[in-house]
Amino acid sequence: MTDSDSASAVRRISTGAPWEEKFGYSRAVELPNGLVLVAGCTSVINGQISAGSPYEQAITSFDVAFAALEQVGLGREDVVRTRMYLTHARDVEEVGRAHKELFDAVRPAASMIIVSGFVDPSLVVEVEIEAYRGGAR
C-alpha cells in the first residue's frame, strides 16, 4: 500500500504491519530526490516473531526491508547505507556474515550499533536501510 503527499511529493509506503498503524509510522518513505528511507526492520513476519540465531534474524530483517524497497521498484543493488542494531557485541560476526552475503557486491556504507534491547527480548537484530533511485522521479 502506498500513499503520496502531493504537497511535498513524498511517497509513504505501508506494509500493513501492526506497529505501523499503532505507532504512526511508514515502513518506507521515498523523497523526490530519489532517496528511500526504510524504517527499522526486525524478524517479524505477519505479526509473528520469527526468532532464530542472530544470523537468521539479520537475514529475515533485511528481507523485510527488501520487500519494502520492492514496493517502490528498487532492490538490494540500490542500497547505499545500512544500519544494524544488535543487543550483544558477541553477535557482530554472525550479523556481519549475513550482511556480507547480502551486500558484498553492493558495498553500502554501513554501521553496526550495540543497543540495550528491543520491544521483544527474543529480538536481537534490527536493521535500517537507505536506497537511492538514480534519476529521481
Side-chain angles (χ1 to χ4, degrees):
M1 176 189 312
T2 64
D3 182 28
S4 294
D5 180 343
S6 59
S8 63
V10 171
R11 184 175 175 196
R12 299 173 200 288
I13 308 302
S14 172
T15 59
W19 289 328
E20 291 174 23
E21 183 62 31
K22 183 175 182 178
F23 299 139
Y25 72 94
S26 297
R27 171 61 61 204
V29 175
E30 182 176 13
L31 303 174
N33 67 357
L35 188 62
V36 177
L37 310 171
V38 179
C41 299
T42 60
S43 59
V44 174
I45 306 295
N46 297 322
Q48 300 295 317
I49 294 173
S50 175
S53 70
Y55 168 85
E56 293 166 327
Q57 285 195 29
I59 293 291
T60 302
S61 298
F62 278 118
D63 285 346
V64 170
F66 295 151
L69 279 185
E70 287 175 9
Q71 290 192 48
V72 297
L74 297 179
R76 98 178 55 177
E77 66 280 358
D78 300 302
V79 174
V80 296
R81 174 185 280 287
T82 60
R83 290 183 189 89
M84 295 157 279
Y85 301 94
L86 318 174
T87 55
H88 301 285
R90 68 176 179 246
D91 298 332
V92 165
E93 292 298 320
E94 279 193 74
V95 174
R97 178 170 58 96
H99 189 274
K100 181 174 174 58
E101 286 178 15
L102 295 169
F103 294 106
D104 195 32
V106 178
R107 299 289 174 123
S111 300
M112 206 178 284
I113 303 136
I114 308 302
V115 299
S116 64
F118 300 116
V119 296
D120 185 290
S122 64
L123 296 171
V124 297
V125 177
E126 182 167 331
V127 303
E128 293 177 347
I129 61 175
E130 297 177 14
Y132 180 71
R133 179 188 307 281
R137 60 181 173 93

